Amino acid sequence: MADPLPLQDKILMLPSDENTTGRTLGEAELAFLTEVIRSGSLATPYGSFVKKLEQQFADLLGVKYAYACSSGSAAVHSAIATVNPEPGDEIVTTPITDMGALTPILYQGAIPVFADVESRTWNVTAETIEPCLSERTKAIIVTHLFGNPCNMNEILDLAQSRGIPVIEDCAQAFLAKHNNQLVGTIGDIGCFSLQQTKHITTGEGGIVITNNDAFARRMCLFINKAWDYDDPRPEHYFLALNYRMSELQGAVGAAQLSKLPEVIQQRCAVATQLTKKLKGLPGIETPWTNPRNIHTYWRYCLRVDDQVIPGGPVGLGESLKEKGIVSLPRYIQKPTFQYEIFREQRTFGNSRFPFTIARPEALDYSPKRFVGAFEGLKNLLVLPLNEHYTDEHVEYIASCIHQAIQNNNFSS
Ligand SMILES: *Cc1c(COP(=O)(O)O)cnc(C)c1O
């Protein structure tokens, strides 16, 4: 049992990633932005900041290619367009993720096939992916949810034995590691988001990375309407969008990137402290991570046992809300395949395409296939975590949780 903590009778304002209190935006960003405005070149082909961001991101991760784009969803879309599925081909992915990681699959005419997750990490595993593979599988997307890496060794063994490329969605997992390898560099393509709440931000933005020369060319073209600026006689080679990041975002991104290692270090330190203060509390499980992992904590997730704590994560979340701690019980509430877009197959006009050309087994969303996902969401309480949390903030959060559990002040 952890040491007793002081009673919290006042509300302490926590740093928030929605505004300046919980972000690392400052003079460096302003200086670069001023430079962009003074230059008058706000679009990437004429400026230098997006190129700088791409080069520095590639260097930091130790990969050959990094391309900035307009969002994390655009990054995932570019990755899928890069593997170039035929209509009706399948992309195996997770049912617990941001919708922006799923809709690009449908836009490319492919079918998301959902693999179950392991309930204590909310991540897909080789075991859950394997039964989803078919002769139509064109790629596997693994999502390192909340900053906690998937078990990549087993997943890569499986994928390589079938010759299937692996896309890593690292939107929540900057600089996280599995077996000393940075996520995003383990599979074939890595995708990142620079949206407001992620580890570093340009408001909206994304980055895709790869070591594969052919993939690199295709993803760069996809972001640029398939127009090659370096080709002496350029052409629009294939169906593609304008997913470019602007120089304004590039300037902010380049400044933010230099702060990333420090942000990660702080977040890991905060999480370690919080775990120390919550260990041993009845009905609460602190984040589990494989000992071979470095978890970089986009959020801090508890498993709340509703057999021990009446009301489970919802009850605990309510009681923390009274203390000004905004948590998210059950994260996305239900697996993504239960949202209207999948339930009603709302896509292009009334066509239901590409669901209409899917194998029936690929659309089997029956709950018995997703025991881990339902079980995982039922107990999940997503707590905020921020690089600006001080010892006082950590102690406040921990003692509010202790208090809520001791008082047992949920409807029982
Ligand atoms: C945020 C996020 C995305 C989408 O990124 P946007 O920048 O919001 O488009 C995709 N996948 C995951 C896991 C995310 O957390």
Side-chain angles (χ1 to χ4, degrees):
M1 187 73 201
D3 291 337
L5 291 162
L7 214 69
Q8 301 292 344
D9 43 20
K10 288 199 301 282
I11 287 184
L12 183 65
M13 285 291 287
L14 294 172
S16 161
D17 57 25
E18 293 176 9
N19 57 52
T20 189
T21 59
R23 302 284 63 191
T24 53
L25 299 160
E27 293 307 316
E29 287 77 5
L30 277 173
F32 282 179
L33 267 176
T34 304
E35 222 180 291
V36 171
I37 299 284
R38 292 226 163 98
S39 77
S41 302
L42 308 195
T44 306
Y46 319 109
S48 62
F49 279 100
V50 169
K51 291 185 190 85
K52 189 195 304 239
L53 169 64
E54 291 173 341
Q55 188 57 56
Q56 288 175 353
F57 198 75
D59 291 346
L60 181 66
L61 274 90
V63 289
K64 269 166 94 174
Y65 305 99
Y67 297 106
C69 56
S70 54
S71 68
S73 309
V76 173
H77 195 172
S78 305
I80 291 160
T82 295
V83 301
N84 202 14
E86 297 296 326
D89 277 354
E90 298 167 5
I91 312 273
V92 175
T93 184
T94 172
I96 305 184
T97 186
D98 187 285
M99 195 54 79
L102 300 175
T103 45
I105 300 172
L106 296 167
Y107 271 104
Q108 283 309 111
I111 310 296
V113 178
F114 295 104
D116 198 14
V117 301
E118 181 195 34
S119 65
R120 70 176 167 174
T121 60
W122 308 279
N123 277 340
V124 295
T125 66
E127 263 174 35
T128 65
I129 291 168
E130 198 187 349
C132 300
L133 299 179
S134 79
E135 67 288 345
R136 300 219 65 176
T137 308
K138 190 69 179 181
I140 297 165
I141 303 181
V142 300
T143 304
H144 306 295
L145 206 66
F146 305 120
N148 189 22
C150 299
N151 285 341
M152 290 304 292
N153 287 20
E154 291 88 337
I155 292 171
L156 273 196
D157 283 349
L158 172 66
Q160 283 166 356
S161 73
R162 310 277 187 107
I164 301 167
V166 174
I167 298 166
E168 294 178 81
D169 184 345
C170 312
Q172 305 181 357
F174 281 86
L175 303 191
K177 287 183 183 171
H178 178 70
N179 271 348
N180 270 325
Q181 258 187 302
L182 287 164
V183 300
T185 71
I186 307 172
D188 299 273
I189 300 174
C191 304
F192 295 82
S193 166
L194 298 170
Q195 178 265 343
Q196 175 78 33
T197 69
K198 304 294 160 76
H199 290 76
I200 53 170
T201 186
T202 58
E204 305 286 355
I207 304 182
V208 261
I209 63 172
T210 188
N211 277 313
N212 178 312
D213 300 333
F215 281 178
R217 175 159 173 83
R218 207 177 145 84
M219 67 177 62
C220 174
L221 285 170
F222 187 73
I223 293 166
N224 285 282
K225 307 178 213 172
W227 180 265
D228 182 354
Y229 284 84
D230 297 327
D231 188 334
R233 277 189 293 166
E235 251 285 359
H236 293 287
Y237 307 115
F238 57 85
L239 179 66
L241 293 154
N242 176 359
Y243 268 159
R244 283 193 290 266
M245 174 181 272
S246 85
E247 282 292 290
L248 296 166
Q249 294 159 304
V252 175
Q256 283 277 284
L257 186 58
S258 63
K259 301 172 182 174
L260 180 60
E262 173 77 14
V263 166
I264 298 298
Q265 207 184 349
Q266 287 301 320
R267 281 177 175 257
C268 292
V270 166
T272 304
Q273 274 193 59
L274 200 49
T275 296
K276 220 190 267 171
K277 291 185 191 294
L278 295 176
K279 266 270 173 308
L281 264 182
I284 295 284
E285 259 177 64
T286 54
W288 187 87
T289 190
N290 186 317
R292 295 177 293 166
N293 282 350
I294 292 179
H295 183 327
T296 58
Y297 296 97
W298 176 58
R299 296 285 187 257
Y300 185 93
C301 293
L302 294 176
R303 275 161 54 87
V304 182
D305 183 350
D306 62 2
Q307 301 297 302
V308 180
I309 297 174
V314 176
L316 182 54
E318 280 299 311
S319 131
L320 293 177
K321 198 160 129 200
E322 290 165 20
K323 296 287 185 184
I325 301 169
V326 184
S327 65
L328 202 52
R330 297 176 184 162
Y331 186 41
I332 55 169
Q333 308 310 310
K334 53 189 180 186
T336 47
F337 52 73
Q338 291 193 336
Y339 284 87
E340 264 180 54
I341 167 179
F342 290 107
R343 256 187 13 243
E344 308 292 333
Q345 304 184 333
R346 294 223 179 87
T347 53
F348 305 99
N350 291 316
S351 71
R352 300 185 171 214
F353 181 85
F355 292 110
T356 43
I357 56 169
R359 286 185 311 128
E361 304 80 40
L363 304 180
D364 179 4
Y365 304 151
S366 48
K368 67 176 190 313
R369 285 194 53 231
F370 299 99
V371 173
F374 283 103
E375 172 72 19
L377 288 178
K378 183 167 93 84
N379 294 329
L380 170 59
L381 182 66
V382 182
L383 288 171
L385 189 130
N386 194 269
E387 57 273 21
H388 293 317
Y389 284 0
T390 61
D391 291 352
E392 192 190 5
H393 296 124
V394 173
E395 176 146 309
Y396 178 74
I397 295 169
S399 55
C400 287
I401 294 171
H402 277 245
Q403 236 164 280
I405 290 173
Q406 274 151 23
N407 296 354
N408 209 8
N409 56 2
F410 329 117
S411 56
S412 46

